[in-house]
Amino acid sequence: MVQKLYVTYNQNSAERILNDFKPNLMIAIGGGGYVPARILRSFLKRPGSTNIPIQAIGLSLYESLTTDSAVEEPGTKVTRTQWLDLSSLEMANLIGKNVLIVDEVDDTRTTLEYAVKELQKDVETATKKLGRDAEKTRFSIFVLHNKDKPKKGNLPEDMLDENRYLAALTVPDVWICYPWEATDIDEHDRLAESQSVQ
């Protein structure tokens, strides 16, 4: 039986993100990063400022387990299901910005590694193409939960050295049940409240 951790919406790291990362743009990794990015945008909004735009990329690493359809396990290959259009303004809008990549969980780090490497590569291509070499794009990462276990993927050293990776909470290596995945939110909240770790 897979050990599960039920979590609530009541976890927030907005102040650190605003003060340290100063994001101009968020990129949500789908499907798990969509809801946290949207909620985070509300917490990052300041009076008199505009909302931080959210763009989305779709990456898939997980595969369904046959024994429990509610639980998945990491696959071996990241699949790109949705990406930014390199020929449009989307890529030009990343140049010279502080970009916050948002996902729900850092499990094996494989998806995060892929996202950062591919986005960096695409921004470098757009920067050269548009002659904007003097403008530096800075990527940061926010995840709701970091699973406390060895990682298969690696993040850039400068990102880690400059503390541009933030997990709201580090948790044991358990299956995390998010409210947006619940089919019965009242039961989910009851289970979340009954656990000591949140």
Side-chain angles (χ1 to χ4, degrees):
M1 173 134 175
V2 174
Q3 185 180 359
K4 296 179 181 179
L5 173 65
Y6 290 85
V7 297
T8 69
Y9 286 109
N10 298 323
Q11 294 162 355
N12 187 17
S13 301
E15 287 304 314
R16 167 135 187 248
I17 291 168
L18 275 173
N19 295 333
D20 295 354
F21 300 165
K22 299 174 179 53
N24 308 105
L25 173 75
M26 285 189 278
I27 295 181
I29 298 177
Y34 295 152
V35 174
R38 177 56 192 93
I39 292 169
L40 187 59
R41 184 170 92 166
S42 293
F43 284 102
L44 295 176
K45 174 85 167 120
R46 292 297 173 248
S49 66
T50 59
N51 277 318
I52 296 171
I54 300 172
Q55 295 188 11
I57 58 175
L59 301 175
S60 178
L61 179 66
Y62 287 85
E63 300 167 355
S64 291
L65 290 175
T66 56
T67 57
D68 184 348
S69 61
V71 177
E72 298 173 327
E73 67 180 15
T76 56
K77 181 179 173 241
V78 175
T79 302
R80 194 188 277 204
T81 60
Q82 175 183 337
W83 202 253
L84 304 177
D85 181 359
L86 297 176
S87 64
S88 75
L89 287 176
E90 288 178 341
M91 217 27 84
N93 287 339
L94 299 181
I95 299 171
K97 300 288 195 306
N98 292 327
V99 179
L100 181 64
I101 300 169
V102 180
D103 207 358
E104 87 277 40
V105 64
D106 182 357
D107 188 345
T108 64
R109 197 164 281 167
T110 307
T111 303
L112 291 171
E113 176 187 48
Y114 182 92
V116 172
K117 281 183 178 177
E118 293 299 307
L119 287 167
Q120 284 178 328
K121 205 178 344 173
D122 290 348
V123 167
E124 285 174 25
T125 300
T127 300
K128 288 177 184 164
K129 181 179 176 183
L130 298 170
R132 293 172 61 183
D133 296 326
E135 299 176 63
K136 182 168 172 36
T137 301
R138 225 174 70 130
F139 289 98
S140 300
I141 291 175
F142 171 73
V143 294
L144 291 176
H145 298 97
N146 172 42
K147 289 190 179 181
D148 189 13
K149 68 182 203 178
K151 306 296 184 187
K152 294 179 182 175
N154 296 300
L155 297 175
E157 287 298 318
D158 65 323
M159 180 180 280
L160 298 174
D161 291 345
E162 296 170 12
N163 291 319
R164 290 185 284 124
Y165 170 90
L166 174 63
L169 194 62
T170 296
V171 298
D173 185 14
V174 297
W175 186 258
I176 303 171
C177 301
Y178 291 101
W180 53 88
E181 298 173 328
T183 54
D184 181 343
I185 195 65
D186 293 328
E187 174 67 6
H188 176 92
D189 287 350
R190 186 190 65 71
L191 291 166
E193 286 177 24
S194 71
Q195 294 178 328
S196 60
V197 179
Q198 293 233 359

